[in-house]
Amino acid sequence: MSTLVEDDTIPFGMEHQNNKSLPHPYVTMCHVGFRSAALVAYFLCGLFSDSFITSFVVIVLLLSVDFWTVKNVTGRLMVGLRWWNYIDDEGKSHWVYESKKNMINSTELKIFWAALISFPAIWGLIFIVKLFSLDLKWVLLISIAATLNGANLHGYLKCRFGKNNENIGTSITNVTSNFFRQQVLQNMTNLMNTTTSPQSTPQMNPNHNIV
């Protein structure tokens, strides 16, 4: 896996400098529309057809169109990000994550990331519900939806954070580990101070006579 293109990195904060209202309205509509259509088709498919195969094909087609659109069009135009894969002459696969230096509209930026993060979360919740209800025929479909949505989310997170936070999960784990390590050290220090502190011992009364 290759790293972020070093000479094409967008500085943090640059994306907020262009505040013109939606320079790509149709692209923004497609970014939200296709994934919304797939989710709506899932919830309403039973009203229009009793065939699981028909519903499966329609929803997968909408998910595929959404995946291609977000990966190849909306990410590049709305936030200046792109991720892709190529095979070199030796047959080795390389993943490339790019961030373009340009002015990004702040409204489109918010819409892009809100849709990119919220829909995988929704499909994930639906997957848990269907899994526990043992509705296995829908689990496969929801798994495809969560995978396609999650792939775009992962790719664009790699583009956005790049080499500074190449492994986001590792960074979060390190922060959590450091926190718990500090807590353990603090508790051990308090325990040692409590153990070594002088304890008061009862003194005998000199006027007490033993009979």
Side-chain angles (χ1 to χ4, degrees):
M1 180 180 66
S2 60
T3 58
L4 180 74
V5 178
E6 296 184 4
D7 60 347
D8 200 21
T9 304
I10 182 171
F12 285 98
M14 287 288 291
E15 66 273 11
H16 300 285
Q17 294 186 8
N18 182 8
N19 294 317
K20 185 177 66 175
S21 59
L22 295 183
H24 308 98
Y26 296 108
V27 174
T28 304
M29 187 182 304
C30 291
H31 179 73
V32 179
F34 285 129
R35 52 185 48 209
S36 298
L39 193 62
V40 171
Y42 166 77
F43 284 112
L44 301 181
C45 61
L47 299 178
F48 300 98
S49 175
D50 295 331
S51 173
F52 172 76
I53 300 299
T54 302
S55 301
F56 185 93
V57 172
V58 170
I59 296 173
V60 169
L61 286 176
L62 290 172
L63 290 170
S64 301
V65 173
D66 168 68
F67 176 82
W68 185 91
T69 303
V70 174
K71 179 182 180 296
N72 297 290
V73 180
T74 64
R76 178 171 55 86
L77 295 179
M78 294 177 67
V79 291
L81 303 176
R82 184 177 66 170
W83 65 277
W84 49 286
N85 174 269
Y86 72 95
I87 308 296
D88 60 17
D89 296 335
E90 298 178 354
K92 185 177 180 180
S93 177
H94 297 271
W95 292 95
V96 180
Y97 304 94
E98 296 177 320
S99 178
K100 185 179 180 182
K101 292 181 179 179
N102 61 349
M103 299 298 182
I104 304 300
N105 178 267
S106 60
T107 304
E108 284 190 349
L109 178 78
K110 295 175 182 178
I111 295 174
F112 178 85
W113 286 107
L116 196 70
I117 295 173
S118 60
F119 281 88
I122 294 173
W123 285 114
L125 291 175
I126 297 175
F127 175 83
I128 294 174
V129 171
K130 291 298 181 180
L131 186 63
F132 279 98
S133 62
L134 299 179
D135 196 353
L136 299 182
K137 70 177 183 179
W138 289 102
V139 169
L140 176 60
L141 174 62
I142 299 169
S143 300
I144 295 173
T147 300
L148 292 177
N149 281 260
N152 268 325
L153 176 60
H154 176 266
Y156 283 117
L157 284 176
K158 296 283 286 185
C159 293
R160 182 63 182 87
F161 291 96
K163 62 182 180 180
N164 294 326
N165 291 286
E166 187 169 357
N167 193 332
I168 300 171
T170 302
S171 300
I172 297 175
T173 302
N174 291 336
V175 172
T176 306
S177 300
N178 291 334
F179 172 77
F180 282 107
R181 189 181 301 111
Q182 293 176 359
Q183 293 298 317
V184 171
L185 290 175
Q186 183 177 358
N187 291 335
M188 291 180 63
T189 302
N190 294 335
L191 181 61
M192 292 178 63
N193 292 334
T194 303
T195 305
T196 57
S197 61
Q199 297 181 355
S200 59
T201 56
Q203 297 180 355
M204 297 184 61
N205 189 355
N207 297 326
H208 181 71
N209 297 325
I210 302 178
V211 180

